[in-house]
Every structure is written in C-alpha cells, then in structure tokens.
Amino acid sequence: AIKPEITAFQNVLDERDRNKIKALKAATPSQEELMAMDEVEEEDDEDLNEVIYDELKKKEQGYNAASSSATSEEDENENENEATDRRDVTENVITETDTNENKDKAKDHDDDEEIIYFDDSDSEKDKNKDKDKDKDTTEKKQDDDIKNAENVITDLQEIEDKIAKLGISEKKEDETEKVKPKKKQEVRQIKTDKALFRKARRRFEDLNDENSITAYDQYLFLKVNIEDFKKFEQKWPDLKLTDENHPRRDYIDKVMKKCGGKLPTEALADFAWNAPSEHLDKIPRGKIIGIYSRNKRGRSAVPGFIQPLIYNAYGEIDRKWAVFTPDDKRYPKAHFPMRELPKSLKDLFRKFEKEEIEIVEEFENRKYDLSKQGYKWKKIDSMIKKRVNRYSEELKLMFFNMEFEIKWPDHYFMPVCHLVKEIGKRGAVEVETKVILSRHNITWNHKFSKEVENFVKDFKIDPEKDYKGRRDCRDMRVFTIDPTSARDFDDALSIEELKDEFDDNGYKLYRIGIHIADVTHFVKEGTPVDKEAKHRATSVYLVDRCLPMLPHHLCQNLCSLNPDVDRLAYSVFVILNEKGHLVNRKGNKKDKYSKSPWFGKTVIRSRARLNYETAHWMLIDKVTKETPLSELHECCKISDDTTLEAIINDTKLFWMIAKQMRERRFNAGSVQFFRPHIRFRLDKKDKHKALVFGPEILLWSNNLIEEMMLLANQLVANQLINKIKEHTLLRKHPSPLQEKGMKLQLICRSQDMDLKIDTPKHLNESLIEMQKKTYGGINAAQVINALLAQAMMRAQYIIVEDLPETEWSHWALNFPIYTHFTSPIRRYADVIVHRLLSYTISSEEDEEKDNDNDNDEDVDLVTTTNNDPHNERLPSIYEMKKQCEVCNDRNASAHFAEIDSQTIHLCLVLIDHPIIVDTMLIDLYNSYFILVVPGLGLDVRVNAQDCIRESKGAITRIDKQYELPDSVLIVTWRNGQTEEYKLFDKMRIRLSSVLRTPIKLVTSIIEPEKRKYLKAANADAVKIDNHNNNNSHLSSEQNNDDNQEEEEED
C-alpha cells in the first residue's frame, strides 16, 4: 500500500499539472482578443506620435530663436546643450518611426562618467531604475556626435517625411496641449531630466529619502560631485558655481542642498567616519532575516593564492596591496600587503606586470586599428578581448596560509590578511595534502610535541602492577581481523562453545568475547597525552597516510592488540545461541563471569592476525587446514600454540552466527546501503603516489566484524542508560532532511519507482526492490544510494541529560540507543565511553560489597582486587557536552578531508591516464548537472559551460528544459544533431583532470560517432570476484569495525 506521504506527493504533482494546463489556456488569447489588442496599440501609437511631433515643432522654434541671439561663447555653450536635448528627442522619433533603419542610434553607450546617488533605499532604487528604463528607451550619443544630431534637427524635412510615413498629421501647439496636456508635460520633464543627467545619470527624484543614506554612500556622493563641479568650472570658467545665471543652477542648488548648503569640496573637508549608532536616523532600513554568531570552527589560517592588483589602465600593478583569494569560497577575497610578499613570488610579480603592460598595449593598438577601419568603439569592445596573462595560472598554483585581521574597516572593500606560511606549488601530493588539512582546519600531523613524546616514551606493561583486578583471558583463543595495511589493532574476538548447554528452544549456546584495547589505562584524565587526544579527537585517514590521535608508542605498540604479546583489554562477554539471539544471565558467587552480558577489564594474548581477504577465504574454503602457512598473506600470522584449523573453525562459527544476526537486523529495519568507496593501490617505491584505483569490496569477513562491533556498542549503550542515564554518551543519527527527501521521492516517482523514507525499514525495502530494476545495465539502487547521501544528515554525539527518548535513536541502523565503544585508539568519544563504563562497573562492585560481606577470593583473578582498574570518576555533563562538540566537529573535518584526499589522488592519476566510463544522469540544475559512476560510488558535478569548453567546439549548447521530475538535458552538437537525456539515462563520458586551481575532475561527453569505438571501463582498475578475491592493495587503512554505521554518514 502506498503511504500517505506518497499519496500527498502524487496530489501535488497532479495539481501542478492541472495548473499548468490552466495557465497555458489563460496565456493563449482568442482571435477576437488579439484583434482588440491590436486596435488599442494602434491608438496608443497615434497619440504618442502626435505628442512627439508637437515637441519637435516647439524645439525647432526654440532652436531658431536661440541661434539668432547667440553672440557670446556662453550662448554657444547653451545652444550646444539645447542641441543635445533636441538630439535626444530626435533619436526617440527615429526609434519609434524607423527602428530597422536606425538601430545603431537606439543602442546604449558606455557610461564614462556616471554620477551615482545613494539617498534611496535599495528597494526604491530598483523601482526608480525600472522607471528610468521604461521612460528612457534610448541613451544619448557621445559628445562627438552632437554636431551630427544638430544637422539632423535642422533638416526638418527628413523628420516630417518619417512622420508622414506613420500618418501623423500636424497640429498646433495649443491644440496638442488641450488634447494631451499630461503626456506633453511628461515628455518635457523627460527631456529636462536627460539634459541635466547625461550619460545615464540618475534623476534627483531618486534622492528623496534622506534617512536611508549611509556614511560610505555619502562619501562616494561627494567624491563624484566634486568631479562634476570641476567639469562645470572648466566649461564655464567665467562663471562661479554660486552665480545665479549659471546654466547648471538647478543642479548645483540641489547638490548643495544635499550637502547642507555647502559645496561638495567643503562638505568633504568636514566629512568624518562616524559609527552608525551615532546616526540612527541614517541607518539603512531593512528586515532581519537571520542572526550571525561566532563560528566555533574558527581557523588559525586559510589557504589560498596571491595575485597582483592592477593599479591603472596601463597594466601597472599596485605597489602597496595584492589580492589574496581563499581556497574556501566561504571566505572573502582580502588585501595582502606587498611588503610581506614572499620571495618566491617577487620574480613572478615582475613578469606578470611586464606581460600585462604588453597585453594592454597590444589591445589598444588593435582597437585603434579597428577604429581606423570604421568600426565604432562599442562594437570594437565586443569584437576583441584581451588575452589572458600567462603568469596568472602559475600564480594560482602557488598556495599560502593566511591569517585574517579581526577588524574589517567599514570603508575597505576587502579585509586585510597576513602571511602565516608558504605551502608550496600545487600538483605535488605533499602540497595537496597540506592544502586539504589546512582547508579543514586540521592543524596537526603524524608527529607529536616533545612533551607528549617524552611523557609516553617510558610507558610499559608491568604484570605485577597492571594485571591487578583484571580477568585473565590469556588462555582463550583470541584473534584479530583487520585491513591489510592496518598497523593498530583495537578489536579482537574469541568464541567458545558451552558444552551440554542449550537454550529453551534447544539451540546450542556460545560465549562470545569482544575485546577492545584498554586505552584509558594509559590515557589518564588531565595528562599531556589526554589533552592532545582531546584536541585531535579522532585519527585522520587519508589515501597515503594516517594522522593518529595517539602517539605511535601507544596506538601501534602498547594499546594495539598485536599477536603473541600480552595486552590490556576492555572486554564484553555475551552468550548467544546458534541463531544469534542474546541469552541474559545473572552472575553467581561461584562464577561471577557466567553473567551475560559481562563487562570488565582483562588481560589477553592474540593467537592470530588475519586480514579481511584471508578470513573470507576461510569462509569459502579457499583456505583450509591443509593450506601451508607460508601461502597465507605476508601480513597474516598464526601463533605456535594454536592451529590454522582451530582459527578456521572459530571464524566459521562466528560467521554462522553473524550472518543470521545481519539478516535479522535488516529485516527489522536497518538500512542496507549499496554505495562502494573508492580505494587506491600505492606505489611500493613511493608510498604517496597512487597507481591504480577501484571500488572497495566488502567481504563476508567485513560483515562478520561489523555485526560483532554493533552488538558490543549496543550492549554498552544499554548498560550506560540503565546505570547513569543522564550522563550517557550516545551516537544519534537524525532522520533524512525533509526537503531533499521529498525531492528524491519525486525523482523516483518519475521513473515509476516507489521510494519510502518515512522509516528506515521502508527505505531498506525500497532499496531492495530497486535492485531488481536496471537502466542501461546499471542497477537503480546504486544510483539512488548516491542521491540518498545528499538527503542524509551526519550522525552526532549527544549527552542524554534531559532529552526525550525519541531523540536518542540511530535512524539508519534503526537502533533505539547506540554508542561508540569499539575504537578508542582512533576516536576520543570511545575513550569517554570507556570511562563511563568503568564508573558503572565500579558502582556495581561497591553495591555488591555493601549487600554481601562474604568476600571470597576469586580464582580467576591474577591477583587480589585491592587495586580496582575500573576506578573512574563520573565526568560532568557540561564537560562531556563540550567535548562532544569537539568530537563532532573533528569527525566531520576528518571525513571531508578523506573525501578530498581521494579526489586529489584520483585527479592526479587521471591527468596522465584518463578513462572512459558509463555514467547515469541523476540530477539537473540550470547551470550544471550531476552524474554518478556506478560501481565506483563516485558522483560528478559537471558545469555545463565547462563541458562545452572541454568539447573543443564539438558541443555548441547544453540546455535544461522543464523542472524536476520531468527535466531534460539537451546537448546540441556542431553538426546540428541534438541529444536528449532524461533522469536515469546513461551517458558515456571521458574522465580526466588538468593541473590548475582548483584541481578537479574534467568531464567531456563522448561524441555519438565515436562511442561505438570507445569501450567504457567503468573505472574497474581491478576486477574482483566475490569468491576469488585479492583486493588487499585497495583496502582502506581505517578499520571497518562498524562499517554500516560509518556508511550512512557518508
């Protein structure tokens, strides 16, 4: 049955279609209406022509009178202005009467000296602009065309001929005023305004709101009018600006009125920058639409590049300031002082200036040559363009870290920044990595301070001291399964069959041990290593390196559960039946470890180290007990006191239980994502150079570890909620974003697919159903997963405190409560959870001692429990909430840094080795579209103009028609052929990259005639078969202990 939400979307679409049909009918007038509209337009044209004719007759009389009395230079200047006015009216007549013959006379010209007034609010300015555009259909000619306009006016016979063509009859002036007095007055006012404000200057009617002017607007107002008044003095040197007979008397009076009765030069001398609070009546009025708050992720430095600031029209650069352009578009461009210019840029700046001067000179010479050939200046500007400075791209590749000044002066267009350090020239892996880390505010690297290194260098495990109070599990067959490249092992497993024990349904029982590195034993609160771990909050996994949260002596040695050495662990023991169901048991005095689940600190010794591929081969019988140990992967190790057969049996027992738990979890509502991750194979000689890329394949062994880690995290979360509810740290995942979820549903509906996202169970059912549908051989579920990533919100760490239970859940996993316990080596949130769990265990032991005074010696303890390893204080809620914010922020930064690292390495590989792939169109916008590469989990945002440019003339246009869910992408080729791509249509493209800023994927659509000759690789660098796998070289360095939980965050 279709959910109400889907029905609502259907009603919305149906209503939209009905409205479109109604609007189409309403927009199409009948034949009678068209005829009536034509008659009205003809009457309006006749009225307008009559008014224009009367104006011409009057202007001719005024012109003759003015010419006969022209006896001085001042009169000649006045006549010149009057001629300009007559020329304006003449141009309007010509435009109205013969637009085809006089098209050039009606075109706009460049505004050389535009006077701008700022007394209106923005909304009033926009309205006045629209009025000016409606009234002033044409702009005035340049000063050198005035004489030509006068000749046109004196030749009245030509104008009368044009008017005669339109059937305009002559009328007397008094008759015109009687018939159309208002329209005549409006035309006269337009003429007067144009005479006062030549070259697109604004009318004084725009300066009627005295309260909206700002200090900076007033400053510009004065500067512009000073320049105008200087021109008046040059034009009329014998007249003072205050002379009553000055030709610009009206203009000057109004400007002086705006300046408080002073000339602009006097007003500017008295001008001072004042705080807005001192002039509340002059603060711009507006509506509050949002409130900015301080960014908690404030950066110490911002990466970007520096370019010269062009000082004048000759191409010379500014000697005081340069321009810094941040890599992060959320930051504005900034002024950079030239005195701090790095030595590496000084020579480039000199070459840039020399080249720019040559470019300007070359450009001006070309313009002059074209003008000699008879071309007009405005047409010349559209015919030729300046060539790009060849040093500009080279400067963009030089990256630096900058620090912005806190203060941003009001009268500065840009803030000011200062050099922190030079990063280097982009294109090298090391430089790109530094840019990525700086972009995401990751200020640390793989090294630690001397204080931290000195603090941990003497750490070691002392059996006599450190084993006290711990459960001895060294006789258990514990083993680890991790990625091939992993160096820190923070989780291990053990399993033992409980002989002759069955549950109520007759199923066999097994005791599962999930052992996690005991990091809190070494990382005590308040110590230098704890402070550094709190600051880092997480390990950062890039393609070619790892930035650990803990020093190497801890994360790869003492804390890591390496094989054949005693290690301190935090263990969870739980009894499961062969179907994977939890069996709860209470402990007893004789055997307190029979409790299920049981939490506590232990001592373990790992008997085997396996990678995911080897464990998978054990499950499919590719590795058997007869397999020589020498044939296993070089990273694998089996201890001498155990056998390969025993490890294989344990692994199969785990998978027997885990696969049933996994199936039951998805049936209960956990979302099963199908989006793969891209992985790289690095050069053995150069560990920072990627050679091959391909999709990461999740094996059965990945799923096995995932289920066990999810189980441990759930059990710990339940323990914390029961014991210290308000202080519990949980991992919360919100439901999908409503707006993006609705859009995704509409897209699916357009393809006859029913997507339900009201609950995770319904979403999982929809994705499973979509696996049955393909488009051009591409599975629909893979494409929908790419869109789901846009609708999903990132999971967050929260403190329960007084939050309602409805806000505790993890949406994608469909768990009511969930936390992070299994990766304390790489996540500080897990360290907090370990401390909270220790507090609950210590509290339970204290309660047992109070209730029972019979303290029998426990035989399973290495020594007596006088020194309790679970002794931890309960942190305050405020402390944990503050640290949760840091953890959430650092996790997001690490996640996006990993994605950027993958993108950079992919681009560096594609620069020399572009590939042909089949993609699917999943979303359309006005200027760009989004493609997904199936099998690789890669979605590519393609700018339409960039795609046209990369086609090198093969594509002439790329247009979008209609809106979602009916959008269509139309590609027009140079031979006139057009192609239409709808949503979910397959598109064959070439993926490549170039070394420029920013380094990104370059997409070009393969021409139709070439597609049959170019086979799509689909980016499968390594072909992997699920039953014959060896993708260790494409494995991630990050542990996949809870892959499902991290999958939903991507």
Side-chain angles (χ1 to χ4, degrees):
I2 299 178
K3 283 288 180 178
E5 290 82 358
I6 302 298
T7 305
F9 287 131
Q10 182 179 6
N11 294 336
V12 171
L13 286 176
D14 294 341
E15 183 64 22
R16 187 186 68 177
D17 294 338
R18 287 193 293 268
N19 292 338
K20 283 184 178 180
I21 295 174
K22 291 180 181 179
L24 185 60
K25 290 182 179 180
T28 307
S30 61
Q31 189 66 25
E32 297 177 357
E33 293 175 341
L34 290 173
M35 295 176 62
M37 292 169 62
D38 293 338
E39 293 177 0
V40 172
E41 291 177 357
E42 292 176 0
E43 293 177 1
D44 292 342
D45 291 340
E46 292 176 0
D47 295 340
L48 180 60
N49 291 330
E50 291 174 2
V51 174
I52 294 174
Y53 179 81
D54 292 338
E55 285 296 312
L56 284 172
K57 298 291 292 182
K58 186 175 180 180
K59 298 305 295 183
E60 180 192 16
Q61 296 174 4
Y63 172 74
N64 293 333
S67 300
S68 62
S69 61
T71 58
S72 64
E73 181 179 357
E74 177 180 352
D75 293 335
E76 291 175 0
N77 292 329
E78 288 292 329
N79 291 336
E80 181 181 0
N81 293 328
E82 290 294 324
T84 303
D85 299 339
R86 290 194 301 274
R87 182 205 61 198
D88 296 334
V89 179
T90 304
E91 289 179 355
N92 289 335
V93 173
I94 296 174
T95 302
E96 294 290 341
T97 57
D98 197 351
T99 57
N100 293 329
E101 295 179 0
N102 302 280
K103 186 174 181 181
D104 292 337
K105 293 184 179 182
K107 290 185 178 180
D108 295 341
H109 292 273
D110 294 334
D111 302 336
D112 296 330
E113 302 167 0
E114 181 179 1
I115 297 180
I116 302 177
Y117 300 95
F118 298 86
D119 203 28
D120 279 335
S121 62
D122 292 340
S123 60
E124 290 170 345
K125 291 178 185 178
D126 295 338
K127 292 179 181 178
N128 289 326
K129 286 181 181 178
D130 295 338
K131 291 180 182 178
D132 291 345
K133 290 181 180 179
D134 294 336
K135 293 179 181 180
D136 305 334
T137 57
T138 60
E139 295 292 339
K140 294 181 176 57
K141 301 284 287 179
Q142 299 288 344
D143 290 340
D144 56 359
D145 294 334
I146 292 178
K147 293 182 180 180
N148 294 333
E150 291 179 353
N151 294 333
V152 174
I153 293 177
T154 55
D155 194 359
L156 184 62
Q157 185 61 39
E158 294 183 7
I159 299 175
E160 291 178 348
D161 293 341
K162 292 183 179 294
I163 296 175
K165 292 181 181 179
L166 298 175
I168 302 176
S169 59
E170 296 187 6
K171 292 186 179 182
K172 295 182 180 180
E173 182 177 354
D174 56 344
E175 293 177 353
T176 304
E177 292 177 353
K178 291 180 181 179
V179 178
K180 301 290 182 180
K182 293 184 179 180
K183 290 190 176 181
K184 181 178 179 181
Q185 187 177 0
E186 291 176 359
V187 172
R188 187 184 297 111
Q189 183 64 36
I190 293 174
K191 177 204 68 174
T192 304
D193 291 338
K194 289 182 178 180
L196 286 175
F197 299 94
R198 290 179 5 208
K199 300 179 182 178
R201 296 173 180 173
R202 299 192 181 189
R203 299 191 307 275
F204 278 109
E205 285 78 358
D206 293 348
L207 303 174
N208 53 17
D209 189 356
E210 299 178 355
N211 295 326
S212 67
I213 194 166
T214 64
Y216 185 61
D217 296 338
Q218 179 71 11
Y219 174 78
L220 292 181
F221 174 81
L222 296 175
K223 293 285 289 185
V224 172
N225 279 282
I226 287 174
E227 296 296 327
D228 271 10
F229 279 29
K230 287 181 179 179
K231 294 176 183 178
F232 295 164
E233 292 175 347
Q234 294 174 0
K235 193 168 186 178
W236 296 284
D238 297 335
L239 293 177
K240 296 182 178 180
L241 294 174
T242 56
D243 196 318
E244 295 182 356
N245 297 323
H246 199 286
R248 293 291 179 265
R249 180 75 268 145
D250 187 25
Y251 178 89
I252 294 173
D253 289 343
K254 291 184 178 182
V255 172
M256 292 180 64
K257 182 179 179 182
K258 302 299 296 184
C259 297
K262 302 177 182 179
L263 290 172
T265 51
E266 299 172 352
L268 184 62
D270 300 335
F271 182 80
W273 294 102
N274 297 319
S277 58
E278 299 178 10
H279 299 277
L280 297 177
D281 58 327
K282 295 183 178 181
I283 294 179
R285 298 184 296 274
K287 178 181 178 182
I288 296 177
I289 60 174
I291 299 176
Y292 284 96
S293 60
R294 181 177 177 83
N295 186 2
K296 297 180 181 179
R297 298 182 61 191
R299 297 184 183 179
S300 58
V302 179
F305 57 87
I306 306 171
Q307 284 192 309
L309 181 63
I310 303 300
Y311 179 72
N312 54 32
Y314 302 105
E316 297 177 350
I317 65 175
D318 197 321
R319 296 295 190 269
K320 184 177 180 181
W321 298 104
V323 178
F324 171 71
T325 303
D327 179 65
D328 190 340
K329 300 304 179 184
R330 293 174 296 180
Y331 284 81
K333 291 184 177 181
H335 280 304
F336 174 74
M338 288 288 286
R339 65 177 180 273
E340 299 180 19
L341 189 68
K343 294 182 180 179
S344 59
L345 289 186
K346 290 183 178 180
D347 186 52
L348 280 175
F349 267 49
R350 285 192 290 267
K351 293 179 180 179
F352 179 94
E353 183 179 34
K354 183 179 179 181
E355 179 79 5
E356 191 68 23
I357 293 174
E358 294 177 359
I359 291 173
V360 172
E361 184 178 356
E362 174 188 324
F363 181 70
E364 293 299 328
N365 290 338
R366 293 175 64 192
K367 288 175 63 177
Y368 179 78
D369 293 341
L370 290 173
S371 66
K372 288 297 184 180
Q373 298 176 20
Y375 292 99
K376 296 182 179 180
W377 286 104
K378 184 173 182 180
K379 190 172 183 180
I380 292 174
D381 291 337
S382 62
M383 291 173 60
I384 60 175
K385 294 183 179 180
K386 290 183 181 179
R387 61 182 174 89
V388 180
N389 195 314
R390 58 181 174 176
Y391 295 102
S392 177
E393 285 298 325
E394 189 171 350
L395 286 169
K396 289 181 180 180
L397 292 177
M398 302 297 295
F399 259 59
F400 304 85
N401 268 339
M402 295 289 177
E403 181 181 9
F404 280 73
E405 287 188 359
I406 298 177
K407 294 183 179 180
W408 185 346
D410 294 339
H411 56 285
Y412 276 32
F413 286 101
M414 292 183 287
V416 178
C417 64
H418 299 281
L419 180 66
V420 176
K421 66 176 181 180
E422 181 174 350
I423 298 177
K425 186 175 181 179
R426 298 197 66 173
V429 175
E430 193 65 32
V431 175
E432 294 297 333
T433 301
K434 290 180 180 179
V435 172
I436 291 172
L437 296 179
S438 179
R439 180 187 303 156
H440 297 289
N441 200 28
I442 300 174
T443 57
W444 62 90
N445 53 29
H446 65 282
K447 297 181 180 180
F448 289 78
S449 64
K450 291 184 178 180
E451 180 186 10
V452 175
E453 293 288 358
N454 292 333
F455 181 76
V456 303
K457 68 178 182 179
D458 295 329
F459 280 10
K460 61 181 180 180
I461 298 177
D462 184 358
E464 294 183 0
K465 178 182 176 182
D466 298 332
Y467 290 0
K468 290 181 179 180
R470 293 178 177 270
R471 180 178 178 179
D472 190 355
C473 300
R474 288 177 290 179
D475 59 340
M476 295 182 181
R477 192 164 49 245
V478 178
F479 61 97
T480 62
I481 304 177
D482 290 279
T484 302
S485 57
R487 296 294 179 268
D488 52 337
F489 313 126
D490 50 11
D491 59 85
L493 299 174
S494 64
I495 185 171
E496 58 178 328
E497 181 181 349
L498 300 181
K499 296 182 179 180
D500 301 329
E501 292 192 36
F502 302 88
D503 65 0
D504 296 339
N505 297 321
Y507 295 123
K508 290 183 179 180
L509 299 181
Y510 298 88
R511 179 177 282 114
I512 303 294
I514 304 170
H515 311 279
I516 309 300
D518 187 7
V519 173
T520 55
H521 178 82
F522 303 98
V523 183
K524 300 295 184 182
E525 280 192 274
T527 59
V529 66
D530 179 64
K531 293 178 181 179
E532 182 66 20
K534 288 176 69 175
H535 171 68
R536 300 193 177 201
T538 184
S539 295
V540 182
Y541 291 90
L542 306 180
V543 171
D544 60 333
R545 70 196 67 192
C546 171
L547 310 183
M549 185 183 74
L550 299 175
H552 293 281
H553 183 53
L554 293 182
C555 66
Q556 295 186 10
N557 186 14
L558 295 180
C559 293
S560 181
L561 306 182
N562 298 326
D564 291 334
V565 291
D566 292 351
R567 285 293 179 257
L568 306 180
Y570 216 137
S571 300
V572 178
F573 284 96
V574 61
I575 297 177
L576 303 177
N577 66 14
E578 57 185 283
K579 296 295 183 181
H581 291 287
L582 175 64
V583 177
N584 289 305
R585 283 185 179 179
K586 293 183 179 180
N588 53 62
K589 296 180 181 179
K590 295 182 179 180
D591 186 8
K592 63 183 298 183
Y593 300 128
S594 62
K595 182 179 178 180
S596 175
W598 180 91
F599 307 95
K601 296 196 174 185
T602 58
V603 182
I604 66 170
R605 177 185 286 261
S606 176
R607 295 300 194 277
R609 184 271 198 258
L610 305 177
N611 62 354
Y612 284 115
E613 292 73 29
T614 302
H616 179 76
W617 293 337
M618 291 178 177
L619 299 178
I620 62 174
D621 293 331
K622 183 178 179 181
V623 172
T624 63
K625 61 181 180 180
E626 288 83 13
T627 303
L629 297 180
S630 59
E631 293 185 5
L632 300 180
H633 194 279
E634 59 183 6
C635 72
C636 298
K637 184 176 182 181
I638 306 296
S639 299
D640 296 335
D641 57 353
T642 189
T643 62
L644 178 60
E645 180 182 7
I647 299 299
I648 293 174
N649 292 336
D650 288 351
T651 305
K652 289 185 175 181
L653 281 176
F654 265 116
W655 179 237
M656 177 193 71
I657 296 173
K659 67 180 179 182
Q660 297 179 85
M661 294 172 60
R662 184 177 181 83
E663 181 181 1
R664 194 160 52 247
R665 178 165 64 86
F666 288 133
N667 291 337
S670 285
V671 182
Q672 185 174 10
F673 293 93
F674 303 98
R675 192 179 186 187
H677 294 270
I678 186 171
R679 298 302 179 203
F680 296 84
R681 184 178 67 192
L682 302 178
D683 191 349
K684 293 183 178 180
K685 297 181 180 179
D686 184 359
K687 294 296 183 181
H688 301 303
K689 181 179 180 180
L691 297 177
V692 182
F693 63 91
E696 178 191 16
I697 306 300
L698 297 181
L699 309 174
W700 288 355
S701 51
N702 293 90
N703 299 334
L704 184 158
I705 296 296
E706 177 186 335
E707 294 304 319
M708 294 301 110
M709 299 304 112
L710 292 176
L711 174 62
N713 289 332
Q714 280 185 285
L715 294 173
V716 172
N718 187 67
Q719 169 78 359
L720 298 181
I721 286 291
N722 291 334
K723 300 298 180 181
I724 49 170
K725 178 180 176 180
E726 291 79 7
H727 288 73
T728 301
L729 186 151
L730 295 179
R731 184 71 167 166
K732 173 190 174 182
H733 181 232
S735 57
L737 296 169
Q738 183 179 7
E739 182 178 353
K740 293 185 177 180
M742 291 174 61
K743 178 180 178 180
L744 182 56
Q745 286 181 313
L746 289 174
I747 292 175
C748 291
R749 178 187 168 182
S750 68
Q751 303 300 319
D752 299 326
M753 292 186 294
D754 188 10
L755 179 65
K756 305 175 184 179
I757 58 174
D758 55 332
T759 65
K761 183 175 182 180
H762 291 157
L763 174 58
N764 197 49
E765 292 173 353
S766 300
L767 292 175
I768 293 174
E769 190 66 25
M770 289 178 187
Q771 286 185 302
K772 303 175 184 178
K773 193 167 186 177
T774 59
Y775 294 88
I778 301 174
N779 190 283
Q782 297 182 21
V783 182
I784 296 301
N785 269 273
L787 291 172
L788 273 174
Q790 304 174 15
M792 288 293 179
M793 297 180 65
R794 287 191 57 80
Q796 301 284 321
Y797 293 111
I798 63 168
I799 303 300
V800 170
E801 196 177 9
D802 55 355
L803 293 177
E805 293 187 14
T806 54
E807 297 186 20
W808 299 354
S809 63
H810 194 290
W811 192 88
L813 293 174
N814 199 25
F815 290 166
I817 54 175
Y818 184 74
T819 192
H820 273 172
F821 167 77
T822 55
S823 298
I825 291 179
R826 62 184 179 94
R827 293 189 302 229
Y828 193 80
D830 299 54
V831 175
I832 298 177
V833 171
H834 278 226
R835 291 170 180 163
L836 294 175
L837 183 59
S838 293
Y839 177 82
T840 63
I841 296 172
S842 179
S843 300
E844 285 181 347
E845 291 177 351
D846 291 342
E847 292 177 2
E848 290 177 0
K849 289 180 181 180
D850 293 340
N851 296 332
D852 189 0
N853 294 325
D854 186 11
N855 296 324
D856 296 333
E857 184 180 358
D858 197 321
V859 296
D860 286 331
L861 290 179
V862 178
T863 60
T864 59
T865 58
N866 293 332
N867 186 11
D868 185 8
H870 303 108
N871 187 17
E872 293 282 356
R873 76 174 185 92
L874 184 64
S876 68
I877 292 177
Y878 174 78
E879 289 178 37
M880 290 192 295
K881 290 177 72 173
K882 190 174 181 180
Q883 186 59 37
C884 282
E885 293 180 359
V886 176
C887 291
N888 291 331
D889 175 60
R890 294 286 193 260
N891 283 348
S893 298
H895 168 74
F896 292 116
E898 180 184 0
I899 293 177
D900 286 353
S901 178
Q902 293 174 356
T903 302
I904 288 298
H905 280 79
L906 178 61
C907 291
L908 294 178
V909 172
L910 293 178
I911 288 177
D912 299 323
H913 306 285
I915 59 173
I916 308 296
V917 293
D918 281 334
T919 64
M920 186 177 286
L921 181 65
I922 62 172
D923 208 351
L924 272 175
Y925 297 87
N926 291 330
S927 59
Y928 65 93
F929 53 95
I930 298 178
L931 304 173
V932 64
V933 183
L936 196 57
L938 184 68
D939 49 295
V940 184
R941 175 171 169 169
V942 184
N943 184 281
Q945 294 302 319
D946 291 345
C947 191
I948 294 174
R949 193 180 305 110
E950 291 299 329
S951 69
K952 299 179 180 179
I955 299 176
T956 57
R957 293 189 62 180
I958 296 180
D959 302 305
K960 172 198 171 185
Q961 288 189 359
Y962 315 120
E963 296 297 328
L964 289 174
D966 306 315
S967 301
V968 177
L969 184 71
I970 300 179
V971 179
T972 305
W973 299 91
R974 58 186 164 194
N975 59 4
Q977 179 183 356
T978 60
E979 290 184 306
E980 291 188 2
Y981 292 94
K982 298 180 180 179
L983 293 181
F984 290 73
D985 280 355
K986 186 169 69 173
M987 180 186 296
R988 184 162 293 182
I989 65 170
R990 176 184 290 103
L991 274 181
S992 59
S993 184
V994 292
L995 188 58
R996 64 188 178 199
T997 301
I999 298 179
K1000 61 181 181 180
L1001 293 174
V1002 176
T1003 304
S1004 55
I1005 304 176
I1006 302 299
E1007 297 180 42
E1009 58 271 15
K1010 296 181 180 179
R1011 290 173 192 165
K1012 59 182 179 180
Y1013 303 109
L1014 298 175
K1015 183 179 178 181
N1018 275 3
D1020 289 332
V1022 179
K1023 295 183 179 180
I1024 302 172
D1025 183 81
N1026 285 339
H1027 296 285
N1028 187 8
N1029 247 303
N1030 185 7
N1031 69 336
S1032 59
H1033 51 288
L1034 298 178
S1035 296
S1036 169
E1037 189 172 340
Q1038 183 174 352
N1039 294 334
N1040 285 330
D1041 53 4
D1042 40 9
N1043 187 283
Q1044 172 71 24
E1045 191 273 333
E1046 292 186 8
E1047 179 77 25
E1048 97 334 275
E1049 296 176 19
D1050 294 345

